[in-house]
Amino acid sequence: MLIALCSVKGSPGVTTVTLALAAHWPDAENTRRLVAEVDPSGGDIAMRLGLPLTPGLATFAAAARRARDAAVVWEHTQTLASGARVLVAPPGDMHARAALHTLAGAPEGALLAAAAREPEVVVLADCGRVDPGSPAEAIARRAALLLLVTGTGIEALAHSAARLQDLARWAPRSGLLLTGDGYPTSDVERELGVPAIGRIPHDPAATAILNGRRPRRLRDRGGGLARATSALARTLAATPPAAGAVPPGRTPDGRAAVDATTDHRGLHIQPPAPVATHAPPRQPQPARKDGPT
């Protein structure tokens, strides 16, 4: 399964969520998990985790010019502490964009998607910010699932609202994933006219561990980030790659996960009604909190 994660404004934590999903994917022992850093603005994972830049996206793109077998992607990955593999992108937009354009023009340009179709494989593609014309769009459009990750401040929501209809057409299923503090989830859903598949809480300690900025300690287990991404990963893993009913389950915010063709409250972003982006959601009450506790 190929799952693409992207944003349209700011830095709502796409890379952190991608790494967390790979770390908490269900049945990890029997699943080949790959984090593919295909952000056109350049990679962060190698710098954060102290990994070499090669092998990575640049070497994979060069190999893809002559490769026919999707298995070649694994030759250009490195191992994360979670046991997942990672395809790191070079820092800087010039080199990252060049690699992505090379991949798109390769004879077998869909090698990453082909690898994701193998049994017991999940590829989590960090597409970064998908501006119009982004070279990561070709990869996102081949995804079985597309997650639009957004913060819940007024600026982030306004930009997300402007792109919802466009992004909803990129993949068979797509979902709105909220991150951090801000307006309550119910207010965001009402104003945007679409449901959210879940919300990832602000968890600085877990984020620092995941990004290699502090060592893991025994007491660090089971924080809000881990619980939320574990629940989200279970929902995504249970989603069929093609049209059909989603098995019974619940999204991280407690609603049933249902198929997009029968009910708009599931994983799919339905093209929303025109959104009055000039009218922000109500200011949340200080005592109210969203996301897993």
Side-chain angles (χ1 to χ4, degrees), residues 61-139:
R65 293 173 177 171
R66 54 186 181 278
R68 296 294 184 272
D69 186 353
V72 70
V73 64
W74 300 100
E75 300 173 7
H76 299 273
T77 63
Q78 302 178 51
T79 305
L80 295 171
S82 64
R85 305 289 293 181
V86 61
L87 182 71
V88 298
D93 59 351
M94 183 175 69
H95 297 295
R97 284 178 175 270
L100 289 171
H101 283 302
T102 299
L103 274 180
E108 299 294 329
L111 282 175
L112 199 61
R117 288 193 293 270
E118 294 295 320
E120 308 303 327
V121 170
V122 59
V123 176
L124 299 157
D126 174 1
C127 298
R129 192 175 71 187
V130 285
D131 296 321
S134 167
E137 180 177 337
I139 293 171

Side-chain angles (χ1 to χ4, degrees), residues 30-43:
N30 300 309
T31 305
R32 299 184 77 184
R33 297 158 290 146
L34 172 60
V35 172
E37 197 175 26
V38 291
D39 186 342
S41 66

